[in-house]
Short mmCIF file of all heavy atoms in Angstrom, two decimals:
data_model
loop_
_atom_site.label_atom_id
_atom_site.label_comp_id
_atom_site.label_asym_id
_atom_site.label_seq_id
_atom_site.Cartn_x
_atom_site.Cartn_y
_atom_site.Cartn_z
N VAL A 17 18.65 -60.62 -39.04
CA VAL A 17 17.32 -60.10 -38.82
C VAL A 17 17.34 -59.24 -37.52
O VAL A 17 17.79 -59.74 -36.50
CB VAL A 17 16.30 -61.24 -38.71
CG1 VAL A 17 14.88 -60.71 -38.48
CG2 VAL A 17 16.27 -62.05 -39.99
N VAL A 18 16.86 -58.03 -37.64
CA VAL A 18 16.85 -57.15 -36.48
C VAL A 18 15.41 -56.59 -36.32
O VAL A 18 14.57 -56.85 -37.17
CB VAL A 18 17.80 -55.97 -36.63
CG1 VAL A 18 19.22 -56.50 -36.80
CG2 VAL A 18 17.42 -55.03 -37.70
N THR A 19 15.14 -55.84 -35.26
CA THR A 19 13.87 -55.22 -35.14
C THR A 19 13.82 -53.89 -35.81
O THR A 19 14.86 -53.15 -35.83
CB THR A 19 13.42 -55.07 -33.64
OG1 THR A 19 14.36 -54.23 -33.00
CG2 THR A 19 13.33 -56.42 -32.97
N TYR A 20 12.68 -53.47 -36.26
CA TYR A 20 12.55 -52.17 -36.91
C TYR A 20 12.97 -51.01 -35.98
O TYR A 20 13.71 -50.11 -36.38
CB TYR A 20 11.02 -51.99 -37.33
CG TYR A 20 10.77 -50.59 -37.90
CD1 TYR A 20 11.04 -50.31 -39.23
CD2 TYR A 20 10.22 -49.60 -37.09
CE1 TYR A 20 10.79 -49.08 -39.76
CE2 TYR A 20 9.94 -48.34 -37.62
CZ TYR A 20 10.25 -48.09 -38.92
OH TYR A 20 10.04 -46.84 -39.45
N GLY A 21 12.62 -51.15 -34.71
CA GLY A 21 12.91 -50.13 -33.75
C GLY A 21 14.43 -49.93 -33.49
O GLY A 21 14.82 -48.90 -33.09
N SER A 22 15.22 -50.99 -33.83
CA SER A 22 16.64 -50.86 -33.56
C SER A 22 17.37 -50.23 -34.74
O SER A 22 18.61 -49.98 -34.66
CB SER A 22 17.24 -52.24 -33.31
OG SER A 22 17.24 -53.00 -34.51
N LEU A 23 16.68 -49.94 -35.83
CA LEU A 23 17.37 -49.38 -37.02
C LEU A 23 17.56 -47.89 -36.91
O LEU A 23 16.81 -47.21 -36.26
CB LEU A 23 16.55 -49.70 -38.28
CG LEU A 23 16.45 -51.19 -38.64
CD1 LEU A 23 15.27 -51.40 -39.67
CD2 LEU A 23 17.72 -51.64 -39.24
N ASP A 24 18.61 -47.42 -37.61
CA ASP A 24 18.86 -45.97 -37.65
C ASP A 24 17.68 -45.23 -38.36
O ASP A 24 16.98 -45.83 -39.18
CB ASP A 24 20.14 -45.68 -38.47
CG ASP A 24 21.37 -46.10 -37.76
OD1 ASP A 24 21.30 -46.40 -36.52
OD2 ASP A 24 22.44 -46.22 -38.41
N ALA A 25 17.48 -43.97 -38.00
CA ALA A 25 16.39 -43.22 -38.54
C ALA A 25 16.36 -43.19 -40.11
O ALA A 25 15.29 -43.21 -40.71
CB ALA A 25 16.42 -41.79 -37.97
N ASP A 26 17.55 -43.10 -40.71
CA ASP A 26 17.57 -43.03 -42.16
C ASP A 26 17.10 -44.32 -42.86
O ASP A 26 16.48 -44.31 -43.89
CB ASP A 26 18.99 -42.58 -42.67
CG ASP A 26 20.07 -43.55 -42.29
OD1 ASP A 26 20.00 -44.10 -41.15
OD2 ASP A 26 20.98 -43.74 -43.07
N VAL A 27 17.37 -45.42 -42.17
CA VAL A 27 16.88 -46.73 -42.68
C VAL A 27 15.39 -46.88 -42.45
O VAL A 27 14.66 -47.35 -43.35
CB VAL A 27 17.66 -47.89 -41.99
CG1 VAL A 27 17.11 -49.24 -42.46
CG2 VAL A 27 19.17 -47.83 -42.32
N GLN A 28 14.92 -46.45 -41.27
CA GLN A 28 13.48 -46.45 -41.04
C GLN A 28 12.76 -45.58 -42.09
O GLN A 28 11.68 -45.99 -42.58
CB GLN A 28 13.16 -45.92 -39.60
CG GLN A 28 13.67 -46.85 -38.54
CD GLN A 28 13.22 -46.38 -37.15
OE1 GLN A 28 12.73 -45.27 -36.96
NE2 GLN A 28 13.41 -47.26 -36.16
N GLU A 29 13.34 -44.43 -42.41
CA GLU A 29 12.71 -43.56 -43.42
C GLU A 29 12.64 -44.24 -44.79
O GLU A 29 11.62 -44.12 -45.49
CB GLU A 29 13.51 -42.27 -43.48
CG GLU A 29 12.91 -41.22 -44.38
CD GLU A 29 13.83 -40.04 -44.68
OE1 GLU A 29 15.06 -40.23 -44.67
OE2 GLU A 29 13.29 -38.94 -44.95
N LEU A 30 13.71 -44.97 -45.11
CA LEU A 30 13.75 -45.70 -46.40
C LEU A 30 12.63 -46.77 -46.47
O LEU A 30 11.95 -46.96 -47.50
CB LEU A 30 15.12 -46.35 -46.56
CG LEU A 30 15.66 -46.70 -47.90
CD1 LEU A 30 15.75 -45.46 -48.81
CD2 LEU A 30 17.01 -47.34 -47.82
N LEU A 31 12.45 -47.46 -45.33
CA LEU A 31 11.39 -48.50 -45.23
C LEU A 31 10.01 -47.89 -45.28
O LEU A 31 9.10 -48.40 -45.93
CB LEU A 31 11.61 -49.36 -43.99
CG LEU A 31 12.75 -50.35 -44.06
CD1 LEU A 31 13.13 -50.85 -42.65
CD2 LEU A 31 12.38 -51.59 -44.93
N LEU A 32 9.82 -46.77 -44.60
CA LEU A 32 8.54 -46.11 -44.54
C LEU A 32 8.15 -45.66 -46.00
O LEU A 32 7.01 -45.81 -46.42
CB LEU A 32 8.57 -44.86 -43.69
CG LEU A 32 8.61 -45.09 -42.16
CD1 LEU A 32 8.84 -43.82 -41.40
CD2 LEU A 32 7.33 -45.79 -41.70
N SER A 33 9.08 -45.14 -46.77
CA SER A 33 8.82 -44.74 -48.14
C SER A 33 8.46 -45.91 -49.01
O SER A 33 7.58 -45.83 -49.88
CB SER A 33 10.03 -44.00 -48.76
OG SER A 33 10.34 -42.89 -48.08
N ALA A 34 9.11 -47.07 -48.73
CA ALA A 34 8.80 -48.26 -49.50
C ALA A 34 7.38 -48.76 -49.18
O ALA A 34 6.65 -49.21 -50.01
CB ALA A 34 9.85 -49.38 -49.20
N PHE A 35 7.02 -48.66 -47.92
CA PHE A 35 5.62 -48.98 -47.49
C PHE A 35 4.64 -48.17 -48.23
O PHE A 35 3.62 -48.62 -48.76
CB PHE A 35 5.47 -48.88 -45.98
CG PHE A 35 4.11 -49.30 -45.48
CD1 PHE A 35 3.93 -50.55 -44.93
CD2 PHE A 35 3.00 -48.40 -45.57
CE1 PHE A 35 2.66 -50.95 -44.50
CE2 PHE A 35 1.75 -48.82 -45.15
CZ PHE A 35 1.59 -50.09 -44.60
#
Side-chain angles (χ1 to χ4, degrees):
V17 179
V18 304
T19 60
Y20 175 81
S22 71
L23 292 165
D24 290 345
D26 59 326
V27 176
Q28 291 186 349
E29 186 191 28
L30 203 59
L31 284 163
L32 288 173
S33 298
F35 182 97

